[in-house]
Amino acid sequence: MPELPEIVDRHILDHHVVLALKAIMDASGCQLHEAIDTFGLRYEELRRDRPDDFQVSREEYGRGVYT
């Protein structure tokens, strides 16, 4: 996974999926499908390492987000 700026983690933790994807694409120069994969990996790392920092539960997180 490429080195990501801290703002990506903040967007993921705050449930700002679109902003997180945009920040990943801007930082790495990748396309959307790669950003989605990177997002998924980083999301799982954050859920494992910082579960109390999330604003919503795992069940609520994906509601309303369609890729």
Side-chain angles (χ1 to χ4, degrees):
M1 181 169 38
E3 184 71 27
L4 298 172
E6 175 61 31
I7 193 66
V8 172
D9 288 356
R10 179 66 2 226
H11 288 320
I12 292 172
L13 293 170
D14 289 344
H15 194 210
H16 299 146
V17 176
V18 173
L19 292 175
L21 290 170
K22 173 99 171 72
I24 291 168
M25 290 172 20
D26 290 347
S28 67
C30 69
Q31 298 295 316
L32 180 59
H33 66 279
E34 295 169 295
I36 291 169
D37 292 342
T38 300
F39 176 96
L41 292 172
R42 188 62 186 143
Y43 171 86
E44 290 302 330
E45 288 175 353
L46 290 170
R47 274 285 177 195
R48 180 189 67 228
D49 299 340
R50 298 172 57 182
D52 295 333
D53 291 341
F54 279 83
Q55 302 295 315
V56 297
S57 70
R58 183 180 284 277
E59 293 77 26
E60 295 173 290
Y61 199 90
R63 288 189 189 148
V65 178
Y66 304 98
T67 57

